[in-house]
Amino acid sequence: MKKNYNPNKLLELSKDFIEEVDGIILSSGISCNDFKGTFKKHKRKIIGNQKTEHVEDKYKFYKKIKK
């Protein structure tokens, strides 16, 4: 099952019920930047940090905090 995980496919599958939810918690592999096109209007529903690009690449983040 792990082999078939695709965060963008998960986002696409949510389009049928995303109007009904009050909040969205992002999972691994999906960032606020993925909410574009028809999903853009739902960015406001994201719970938690929205600007996470600087920590998504764990190696780059490690190098930054190592200093």
Side-chain angles (χ1 to χ4, degrees), residues 11-50:
L11 185 60
E12 188 62 32
L13 290 170
S14 74
K15 72 181 178 184
D16 293 336
F17 57 87
I18 199 165
E19 295 283 341
E20 299 175 34
V21 300
D22 296 326
I24 299 169
I25 299 173
L26 300 177
S27 70
S28 181
I30 298 177
S31 74
C32 190
N33 294 333
D34 294 321
F35 283 74
K36 49 192 166 204
T38 59
F39 293 100
K40 188 174 183 176
K41 65 182 177 182
H42 300 291
K43 274 186 172 184
R44 60 181 163 63
K45 294 182 179 185
I46 295 174
I47 298 171
N49 297 329
Q50 293 190 14

